[in-house]
Amino acid sequence: MRSATDHRGLPASLGALRRGLAAVTSRRNAARYALGRAVGLVLLVLGVMVGVISAKEAALAAGVTGAHGTYAVEECHERYPAAGSRHAGRTISCTGAFHPARNGDSGDRGTASGTGGVNPFGTFHPDAVYPPGTRVPVQTGDGATYVAAGWKHAWGNLAGVAVALPMLAAGVFCLLTGFGARWGRSFADSWDGLPGGFVLRPLLLSVAGMGILGAAVFLFLQHYG
């Protein structure tokens, strides 16, 4: 026969079990939110890097910054991320010598007084493979990196700037809400719980939308402009 103490101890044990489960769930949720915020921080860092690098190369290609000249190609090599892949992730590296333009000459006619600096590390990355001896109009900002000159290349880099905007918007969203962790809060719950959502929701949507639209426009100009 069970005593009265046994009957009183059962609810107490169940209550302790519930509190223990609640504590474990709370710690798991906190870990998920922390992971989601880490994802947001990574997206912010990547977005800033992509935007800054693309903006610098766009300014170079458009002739806003840097020194103009021609790049005399010695050889070019194509590289692919996976063996046998011929469609995605292609990288072209060329070696050669940079010939700066004459003072006051913005074109690539009558290049330079001297041979310029040899680039042995293939830091000229065009979007096409050039035959040996080809002279490509380029801009250089620091004497070690060369960017093909012209608005066609500038539009492509500006598309990179635009792509950075949705990355930044997603990074801010994940950083503020913890969204992005596996088995974490759903997007709908995170969106509804966004701090300052009355202002931030339309702002984030606008930034992401402008980035997507801008990337589409710049890519169109790159290929058909």
Side-chain angles (χ1 to χ4, degrees), residues 11-210:
S13 300
L14 291 176
L17 179 60
R18 293 193 189 98
R19 289 191 296 272
L21 291 174
V24 171
T25 302
S26 178
R27 286 194 292 269
R28 286 179 178 175
N29 288 337
R32 290 166 183 163
Y33 295 154
L35 181 58
R37 290 186 171 92
V39 170
L41 184 60
V42 170
L43 285 173
L44 283 175
V45 172
L46 289 177
V48 171
M49 290 176 59
V50 170
V52 170
I53 293 173
S54 298
K56 286 183 176 180
E57 293 194 352
L60 275 176
V64 177
T65 60
H68 186 73
T70 56
Y71 191 90
V73 175
E74 292 181 358
E75 60 179 350
C76 293
H77 299 280
E78 295 179 89
R79 293 182 177 85
Y80 299 86
S85 173
R86 306 291 295 180
H87 303 288
R90 181 181 69 162
T91 300
I92 301 173
S93 299
C94 298
T95 57
F98 173 69
H99 300 260
R102 289 197 302 259
N103 291 336
D105 187 358
S106 60
D108 59 356
R109 310 180 304 275
T111 56
S113 48
T115 61
V118 175
N119 179 6
F121 301 109
T123 54
F124 177 42
H125 299 291
D127 57 1
V129 175
Y130 293 103
T134 303
R135 301 175 72 86
V136 185
V138 296
Q139 291 280 129
T140 179
D142 56 12
T145 301
Y146 305 101
V147 175
W151 278 102
K152 175 182 178 181
H153 305 284
W155 294 134
N157 288 312
L158 286 174
V161 176
V163 167
L165 294 179
M167 296 175 64
L168 293 173
V172 170
F173 174 68
C174 293
L175 190 62
L176 292 176
T177 63
F179 175 77
R182 187 177 183 182
W183 308 117
R185 295 174 68 184
S186 66
F187 175 80
D189 290 340
S190 299
W191 186 251
D192 291 338
L194 180 67
F198 182 76
V199 175
L200 283 181
R201 278 193 286 267
L203 179 61
L204 294 178
L205 287 175
S206 298
V207 171
M210 286 189 299

